Amino acid sequence: FCKAYYKEAGEYIEDYITAIHEEIVKIPDFFLFLYGDPSQGFDSFLSPEMLNYYNNLFRLAREAVAGKPEIIDRVNISGLSILFASLEASRANLNKQYSLNSKAQNWLNKFEKICKDAGIEYMNEMGYTVDEYISSYKKTLERFALPNLAAGKKVDALTSPKKYAGVDPMVLTDGALGGPSFYSNWLGFEGNDMEVIIDLGEVQEIKNVQTAFLQVTNHIVFFPEYVEVSFPGDISWDAQLGRPNADGLKILTSSPLKPGSKVNDIEYFNFNFDPVKTRYVKIYARNIKKAPDWHHASGLPAWIFCDEIGIS
């Protein structure tokens, strides 16, 4: 099939299929989950080394059919999954090569073009579109480019996260940003609010806090009702500017949960305020606690999932 469908590129596509299969079978207890995420394989069949190998095979495949646009299109479509994995590896900031740099931007442009040319509109069966993915990824690139005083700083969770991201609050300052799946880089709270404190290590002047939350309604993952920022401990406000308006430090979700809410979505919360000198920054997110009566999981605990926290 490979040689007939991909012509001269067939041997490289076959090598790719064989290689990824051989890597997966090396993990006897690996479960290829229907709603899985590339992050499941970043330490095995989708490691940076293997991604390099796969990407090189697709490069050779394209070169082998240069001048044959119809076959190149077939090769490009077949390579979308590895392109997607490379983008998510970059979002996870795996190493210098797979990070949110110019290469990730180039991969994103390529991913967008291939999908557009092939008429591919959706990322998954939940209605999450390619356009939404592209827009969200561009936002991720913008966020990553911003200076972040919270990067690598200690996070204390006053409420308990559950199950995902190793239940490690440090995922909120580790430099890895979340995508459309809650399996990667999102810190989850089931049935309870999120309340965390970032320790900047020393008193610093700040005027912006930002983060993001995930929604996957069919998995009982909803946006928080609101997110609030405060500064515990001794703080010093700029005497010329005074204290910021309290309302400016509390943002309601712009997408309250209702029948017909987008199944898969990301909401960004961006707090701008008058400069304040503080060592500690507290972020509180209000969980709706239970799925509403009209939801298929009515009465079950609701989740909220938080992404990287940026402070500047």
Side-chain angles (χ1 to χ4, degrees):
F1 171 82
C2 285
K3 291 179 181 177
Y5 189 70
Y6 298 104
K7 306 303 180 184
E8 294 87 346
E11 63 177 292
Y12 302 107
I13 303 299
E14 188 173 354
D15 285 348
Y16 157 67
I17 295 170
T18 300
I20 199 167
H21 177 264
E22 289 178 348
E23 290 300 310
I24 290 176
V25 297
K26 289 178 182 177
I27 319 164
D29 59 346
F30 180 77
F31 178 60
L32 196 59
F33 185 47
L34 174 63
Y35 296 105
D37 183 86
S39 62
Q40 290 179 278
F42 287 160
D43 60 353
S44 55
F45 69 99
L46 293 177
S47 67
E49 294 75 21
M50 293 310 301
L51 286 174
N52 285 341
Y53 180 65
Y54 306 143
N55 279 316
N56 187 55
L57 285 176
F58 279 102
R59 179 186 62 80
L60 293 172
R62 285 188 293 272
E63 290 177 356
V65 290
K68 298 181 179 180
E70 181 180 357
I71 309 303
I72 289 178
D73 287 345
R74 294 176 185 177
V75 171
N76 284 337
I77 292 171
S78 296
L80 274 176
S81 58
I82 292 304
L83 199 51
F84 172 64
S86 298
L87 283 166
E88 292 306 299
S90 299
R91 194 199 298 264
N93 204 23
L94 291 188
N95 60 22
K96 288 184 178 180
Q97 182 178 7
Y98 291 94
S99 63
L100 292 168
N101 51 27
S102 59
K103 178 172 283 190
Q105 179 66 69
N106 291 337
W107 280 333
L108 186 66
N109 294 341
K110 184 177 179 181
F111 185 85
E112 182 177 22
K113 184 178 187 307
I114 293 172
C115 288
K116 183 177 180 180
D117 290 347
I120 298 171
E121 298 180 4
Y122 294 97
M123 296 294 297
N124 56 33
E125 73 285 0
M126 295 181 289
Y128 190 61
T129 68
V130 171
D131 286 345
E132 288 170 334
Y133 177 78
I134 298 298
S135 176
S136 174
Y137 205 99
K138 288 179 179 178
K139 181 68 175 178
T140 295
L141 288 167
E142 291 172 4
R143 291 178 65 205
F144 188 78
L146 295 173
N148 185 9
L149 297 174
K153 295 299 191 294
K154 181 183 177 183
V155 183
D156 288 319
L158 305 184
T159 53
S160 299
K162 186 174 180 181
K163 190 174 180 179
Y164 298 98
V167 296
D168 183 4
M170 289 296 292
V171 75
L172 298 178
T173 59
D174 67 354
L177 286 87
S181 168
F182 50 80
Y183 284 92
S184 179
N185 306 324
W186 294 95
L187 190 65
F189 296 79
E190 185 186 28
N192 60 335
D193 302 328
M194 183 191 87
E195 194 168 5
V196 299
I197 294 178
I198 313 295
D199 182 354
L200 298 178
E202 60 183 358
V203 173
Q204 302 204 49
E205 183 175 280
I206 66 171
K207 58 182 179 180
N208 175 266
V209 174
Q210 59 173 294
T211 190
F213 284 82
L214 179 68
Q215 180 162 277
V216 190
T217 60
N218 59 332
H219 286 282
I220 332 179
V221 178
F222 310 130
F223 291 140
E225 292 182 303
Y226 63 85
V227 180
E228 195 169 47
V229 170
S230 59
F231 311 100
D234 294 331
I235 59 174
S236 173
W237 297 96
D238 188 308
Q240 298 298 315
L241 297 174
R243 299 177 67 89
N245 187 320
D247 292 338
L249 298 181
K250 178 178 179 179
I251 299 178
L252 301 177
T253 176
S254 61
S255 303
L257 185 65
K258 60 184 178 181
S261 286
K262 290 176 67 175
V263 176
N264 198 182
D265 199 8
I266 296 174
E267 183 172 9
Y268 300 94
F269 292 81
N270 188 30
F271 297 84
N272 291 304
F273 43 87
D274 294 338
V276 56
K277 293 180 180 179
T278 183
R279 173 174 173 174
Y280 301 100
V281 179
K282 182 177 179 181
I283 295 94
Y284 172 81
R286 172 77 173 181
N287 190 339
I288 69 170
K289 302 299 193 296
K290 293 182 179 180
D293 292 342
W294 53 262
H295 193 272
H296 68 81
S298 174
L300 291 180
W303 288 83
I304 53 174
F305 279 87
C306 185
D307 192 11
E308 191 82 359
I309 294 170
I311 299 175
S312 60

